[in-house]
Amino acid sequence: MNFKVPKVMGILNVTPDSFYPESRTFNISDIRRRAEKMISDGVEIIDVGGCSTRPGYHAPSEVEEWERVDKGCRIVREISEDIPLSIDTFRASVALKAIEKWGAAIINDVSGGIDSDMWQIVAAKGVAYVLTHNFQDTPSYTDVTSEVIIYLSKKVNELHRMGLNDVIIDPGFGFAKTLDDNFRLFKEMEEVAAMGMPVLVGLSRKSMIYKTLGVTPEQSLAGSIALEAIALTKGADILRVHDVKEAVETIKLFARISNS
């Protein structure tokens, strides 16, 4: 995938409990409506998830998660045979089924590889892998940016040794980090981009935005776009967003400035 111009990854949550209620699409008509709108708004990747990873989430069974992902992928493929599919899952079994049945091109694993089979499957299937900085518990950082880079670098080296070279890195905003950690990491994001791999940024309507502004996720569009625009100047290659139209417009303006 060419990242000369940053890409928009649209979020398709086939879940009843994602942190942003308006992103929840559990029945067929809602899934179809959201997928059609994202495609018409110019989305370049659709990220299908069947398990919310919001703080305090309770994971569904593997069977239920796969049923949700399968339903979402099927509806997207009925609308478009060509749009690249990303699968938001930490379970290797779900990833494998989505790759084999629906041709998923990207596995977006927010756990950083907690399932011991995940990396072997992704390497064997030759698809792209999003490596996210995450921990099960919130650690105490001495230098959050350096520690994120060390964590990602070690895992990237392991992935490369397994033959998985198509790695996208995600600094993991909102995962195992305090508000101060998130903003320090964001301020220094150029250092993450300097690792030389495509960088995915997921900031859309997250708590670092709405808690700072004293608003709700529903009221966080302007804050999301503001930080996403800054992220582009710091080396973001993929924006993972709820609001596709606004992100596409932001990238168009950024590209216009960059090419002037």
Side-chain angles (χ1 to χ4, degrees):
M1 189 172 286
N2 185 341
F3 294 107
K4 185 176 181 180
V5 176
K7 309 295 184 188
V8 174
M9 174 186 281
I11 299 168
L12 185 64
N13 287 326
V14 189
T15 59
D17 56 346
S18 297
F19 80 91
Y20 175 43
E22 291 186 29
S23 74
R24 301 171 189 168
T25 55
F26 207 57
N27 62 58
I28 290 173
S29 61
D30 286 345
I31 297 168
R32 185 178 300 278
R33 188 180 307 112
R34 180 162 179 78
E36 287 176 340
K37 185 176 190 311
M38 287 197 292
I39 291 170
S40 68
D41 286 342
V43 77
E44 289 155 294
I45 307 163
I46 293 182
D47 192 42
V48 181
C51 174
S52 172
T53 51
R54 69 178 183 174
Y57 76 96
H58 296 286
S61 68
E62 288 191 30
V63 171
E64 185 173 4
E65 183 185 355
W66 167 244
E67 288 175 350
R68 295 174 181 182
V69 169
D70 186 42
K71 178 166 62 174
C73 291
R74 174 172 55 80
I75 293 169
V76 171
R77 279 289 169 255
E78 288 173 358
I79 300 165
S80 171
E81 296 181 0
D82 302 321
I83 193 81
L85 283 173
S86 169
I87 307 300
D88 180 4
T89 186
F90 58 85
R91 286 172 166 150
S93 65
V94 173
L96 178 61
K97 290 175 184 176
I99 294 166
E100 292 183 339
K101 184 172 182 180
W102 298 112
I106 302 170
I107 300 301
N108 181 16
D109 178 6
V110 300
S111 78
I114 196 170
D115 187 329
S116 59
D117 293 329
M118 178 67 87
W119 292 2
Q120 293 173 335
I121 286 170
V122 175
K125 293 297 181 180
V127 300
Y129 179 75
V130 179
L131 172 66
T132 304
H133 177 270
N134 199 354
F135 286 98
Q136 292 303 102
D137 301 305
T138 303
S140 177
Y141 300 100
T142 301
D143 182 336
V144 63
T145 306
S146 294
E147 290 172 54
V148 166
I149 290 170
I150 291 168
Y151 171 101
L152 292 173
S153 296
K154 287 180 178 177
K155 295 209 169 194
V156 166
N157 287 337
E158 292 178 45
L159 288 164
H160 285 172
R161 282 196 295 270
M162 295 176 67
L164 204 171
N165 295 311
D166 197 356
V167 181
I168 298 163
I169 54 175
D170 179 351
F173 293 110
F175 291 105
K177 298 172 186 70
T178 66
L179 283 181
D180 287 344
D181 293 333
N182 282 312
F183 279 101
R184 174 70 181 272
L185 178 60
F186 184 79
K187 180 181 179 180
E188 299 173 345
M189 205 183 86
E190 294 98 334
E191 296 179 31
V192 178
M195 292 176 66
M197 282 164 289
V199 178
L200 181 149
V201 171
L203 294 160
S204 183
R205 298 182 183 267
K206 284 190 172 178
S207 62
M208 65 182 286
I209 297 168
Y210 65 76
K211 287 183 178 179
T212 299
L213 299 178
V215 297
T216 65
E218 291 80 2
Q219 297 167 323
S220 299
L221 175 58
S224 298
I225 294 301
L227 289 194
E228 286 160 3
I230 297 169
L232 293 172
T233 70
K234 292 176 174 290
D237 297 291
I238 303 174
L239 299 180
R240 182 179 182 273
V241 304
H242 297 94
D243 308 283
V244 169
K245 180 176 181 292
E246 291 81 359
V248 168
E249 291 175 348
T250 300
I251 287 174
K252 283 183 179 177
L253 293 170
F254 171 76
R256 183 69 176 84
I257 293 168
S258 299
N259 295 326
S260 294

